[in-house]
Structure formats: structure tokens, C-alpha cells
Amino acid sequence: MTWEDNVRRAVPYVAGEQPQRSGMIKLNTNECPYPPAPGVKAALQELDWEALRLYPNTDAAELAEALADYYGIAPEQVFVGVGSDDVLAMSFLTFFHSGRPILFPDVTYSFYDVWANLFGIPYKLCALDEEWHIRPEDYMAVNGGVIFPNPNAPTGVAESLDTVERIVRANQDVVVIVDEAYVDFGAESALPLLKKYENLLVVQTFSKSRGMAGMRIGFAMGSPKLIGYLKNVKFSFNSYTMNYPSQKAGVAAVKDEAYFRLVTQKIMDTRKRAKEEFRRLGFAFPDSMANFLFVTHERIPAGELFAALRKADIYVRHWDKPRISDYLRVTIGTDAEMDRLFAFLRDYLSSN
Ligand SMILES: *Cc1c(COP(=O)(O)O)cnc(C)c1O
């Protein structure tokens, strides 16, 4: 026996590369190409720096209240965490405790199986159909809980509120988590279902649509009972997760609805242009409701394109995994960034 036999072994989540060179084009981790709302800068500049001496509010109460206000729910229905990864990890720990397998799609956010393995939660993958849609009937089997993103990642495909409700309705004996990291780019939120289902948890983030990935702010919305259970586990783990500057910055972001609408609309407009351009260049893709497109070329393998783009300092995402190895996930950047991407692709495809 050595000390290493007593170590918990984990296979970590692999995040997209974060190189920072001037002139590079970074379309690989679905960040927002625009800065946060102007009020965020002001809030950080006006920060009471002497307050940093004190522990922050454990509930991020001011931020939870601002979110409750914005979404028309009660503050007891909001749980704030350090990015939605933190919120989701706490949710796995809290709600998937039955010993029965939880269910999620075979092609989805690759953190789900990492948390399941870390926490010893059994899981079963449900294959998406040929068009990358969820088959609701797969989620009617006995299970220990359900989680899926809507829109899904890395496909960008959104399910209707009807489909989401069918899954929630059939699973009222477990917790159903809808991960809405990309919902602000045109999909339907499951939020209205909170009035009907006590077992539904809707998780969102400031990382994609609010341009604040570096601040680490995520949140969950659900029934007061569900949120209460989540808080009990969080307060058994680490009470002071979200720092005071992040709480202040988050409040400022939520209060600027006009800027939020402007940025998300701009990204949707650029996405529309990008779809036309990709199509012209011989790419196919499922219709995306997210801030990225999941594209495959009729002729050139995705791995080859990925390497060529990377050499040109244009970063996109590629996975050597079953079903998706022929696809690239390309984040929607600014119009200028997309123009450079398409100029490179036009040139590459005409000479290869
Ligand atoms: C980006 C992402 C998250 C995590 O975002 P945070 O930065 O931790 O808030 C969660 N789920 C999905 C599907 C994502 O794409």
C-alpha cells in the first residue's frame, strides 16, 4: 500500500485552449466577443475597496434579488454560484443521490460525465436522433434524474418548450435540470414551467450572453424547496464562494437590460450572416439557437481544417469523439473576426 492508493483519481474536463496572442482569433470557447455592460465597469471602479476586508454575503443576496426581479420570481427561488459549472456541480451532488442512473444525451456538454464519475453517480447516455434532437421517449425510463442543455452543446440545437415539458412531466419523482447556458440567443426558456413543477431546476450563466466569463457568475432558478436543498449542500461545502466584486458587477449587468438585448441581437445577426457564408462554402450544420455553429464540410475532414485554422491563429473547437469528429464548433465572433475566418476558408478551400 502506498499513499497513492488512497488518492481519489479523477479524469478532468478538458477546456478549450486559452492562448492570448495579439492578432489571434478566438472562436473556441463560446465567449462573448463584446465587453460587459458599461455599468459593470462603473461598479468595479466605484467598489468600496475597504469592504474587501470582510467576508462577502454568502447568498449573494443583492444579485439574487436583482435576478429574481428580472425574471419575475421570488429571491428564494434563486441560487447563485461561481459560474454555472459551480452551480451544476453542486446540483449533481445535491439532487442525483438515488443510486439509479441519471440520463443525459450522448452528444452534450462534456462536463456531465466528469461530475458523474467524480461523485460516483451512475449514468446512461440517450442517443440524439439523426437531426441531433432529443428523443423525449428515451427519458421515460426509470432514472435517478435528468440533465440536458437547451440549446444543446456542441450542436446548438434547441428543443421546444413542449418537448422540455414532456420530459419534466414524466419525471416528477426526480429532479430535472435544464442547462440554459445558451438560451439568450433565441431559444425558449423553461422558466414558465417553474410555476407547475417543483422538481425543475433551470441553470443559466453570465459567461456567454452577458460577456462575463472572467467574472464567474452562474445561477439556478427553481422552487424554494429545491433551492433550499441546494443551499444546504453548498453551505456544507464552502459558504463564501462568490467574491464581493463579482456580486457587485453581476448586479450592474442585470440592471442594464437594453445593453443585454443589443449584444444578444448583434450576435444573432452575425450568426445569420455566418450561416449564409458557411453554406456558400460547402458546409452543412444543424440550425443553431446558440452563439456558435456546429459545421461539417462536404469535402475536407474537420481535423484537417482545425489544424489549418490553428496554424493561421484562428482557434475553433474539434473533438475526436464518436459521431462528432467530422464537425467543428465555431463561436460567433464580431463581424470583423468572422470576415477573417471566411477569408481564410475561401482561400484554403480553393487551393485544397
Ligand atoms: C459554458 C457552459 C457552461 C458553464 O459556464 P460557466 O462559465 O461555468 O458559467 C455550462 N453548461 C454549458 C452547456 C456550457 O456551454
Side-chain angles (χ1 to χ4, degrees):
M1 188 82 141
T2 74
W3 63 268
E4 281 186 292
D5 294 319
N6 295 315
V7 170
R8 183 191 298 274
R9 307 292 176 102
V11 182
Y13 169 76
V14 183
E17 303 173 81
Q18 289 288 14
Q20 285 180 332
R21 277 191 298 282
S22 66
M24 68 166 292
I25 297 187
K26 193 170 179 308
L27 306 174
N28 67 336
T29 49
N30 298 342
E31 288 141 328
C32 179
Y34 305 107
V40 172
K41 188 174 181 183
L44 291 179
Q45 281 170 337
E46 287 156 16
L47 209 63
D48 174 13
W49 69 274
E50 287 188 18
L52 292 176
R53 149 184 101 68
L54 303 170
Y55 283 109
N57 181 283
T58 53
D59 287 307
E62 202 186 339
L63 179 51
E65 260 164 53
L67 286 165
D69 233 35
Y70 184 84
Y71 289 104
I73 55 177
E76 311 85 72
Q77 293 187 271
V78 182
F79 174 88
V80 175
V82 183
S84 55
D85 285 340
D86 176 45
V87 175
L88 289 165
M90 282 294 131
S91 303
F92 270 57
L93 200 52
T94 309
F95 301 122
F96 297 156
H97 189 54
S98 71
R100 290 188 295 276
I102 61 166
L103 307 179
F104 51 85
D106 62 337
V107 175
T108 195
Y109 188 39
S110 47
F111 227 138
Y112 298 160
D113 59 347
V114 171
W115 286 315
N117 289 327
L118 181 65
F119 299 140
I121 301 164
Y123 61 92
K124 236 198 282 196
L125 304 179
C126 302
L128 297 172
D129 72 15
E130 290 300 301
E131 257 86 63
W132 307 107
H133 275 285
I134 283 177
R135 292 185 295 210
E137 47 298 357
D138 291 350
Y139 296 81
M140 309 290 153
V142 173
N143 65 69
V146 172
I147 179 162
F148 57 89
N150 193 38
N152 198 5
T155 61
V157 170
E159 303 300 340
S160 69
L161 190 54
D162 236 41
T163 300
V164 174
E165 180 162 17
R166 264 185 75 193
I167 295 170
V168 179
R169 195 191 303 123
N171 285 287
Q172 295 182 59
D173 56 340
V174 294
V175 172
V176 177
I177 303 175
V178 184
D179 179 353
E180 296 189 336
Y182 302 103
V183 79
D184 300 320
F185 303 104
E188 272 181 295
S189 174
L191 215 52
L193 300 180
L194 289 188
K195 284 197 204 77
K196 275 162 78 177
Y197 302 97
E198 204 177 32
N199 62 315
L200 170 66
L201 193 73
V202 176
V203 178
Q204 296 189 5
T205 174
F206 283 45
S207 296
K208 314 309 183 359
S209 55
R210 292 187 182 274
M212 294 172 74
M215 268 289 163
R216 312 305 303 127
I217 306 176
F219 58 104
M221 297 175 283
S223 62
K225 220 184 207 175
L226 210 59
I227 296 301
Y229 282 122
L230 198 47
K231 285 188 179 179
N232 286 345
V233 169
K234 178 240 164 113
F235 292 141
S236 310
F237 190 81
N238 179 359
S239 303
Y240 303 106
T241 50
M242 180 175 285
N243 66 65
Y244 162 72
S246 291
Q247 295 189 26
K248 288 289 182 194
V251 171
V254 177
K255 296 211 159 140
D256 196 342
E257 182 171 359
Y259 183 83
F260 176 57
R261 297 275 163 228
L262 191 79
V263 164
T264 47
Q265 188 56 52
K266 178 91 191 114
I267 291 167
M268 289 188 276
D269 292 346
T270 307
R271 178 179 70 198
K272 183 160 178 282
R273 278 204 326 120
K275 283 179 185 175
E276 290 158 13
E277 199 65 41
F278 271 122
R279 212 171 278 126
R280 258 196 297 269
L281 290 169
F283 287 89
F285 45 85
D287 193 26
S288 168
M289 284 292 184
N291 67 337
F292 56 82
L293 290 169
F294 190 53
V295 304
T296 183
H297 193 257
E298 58 192 6
R299 193 163 48 79
I300 312 279
E304 181 187 324
L305 273 176
F306 173 77
L309 284 163
R310 198 165 179 279
K311 228 188 219 168
D313 246 0
I314 301 173
Y315 286 76
V316 299
R317 200 84 202 266
H318 175 246
W319 290 270
D320 238 329
K321 282 192 185 175
R323 286 193 84 181
I324 62 171
S325 59
D326 257 337
Y327 284 80
L328 296 175
R329 190 196 66 191
V330 183
T331 305
I332 304 298
T334 62
D335 284 319
E337 286 172 327
M338 300 311 279
D339 285 346
R340 269 189 58 195
L341 166 74
F342 291 122
F344 174 86
L345 287 175
R346 255 191 305 277
D347 191 51
Y348 186 85
L349 294 170
S350 64
S351 53
N352 284 275

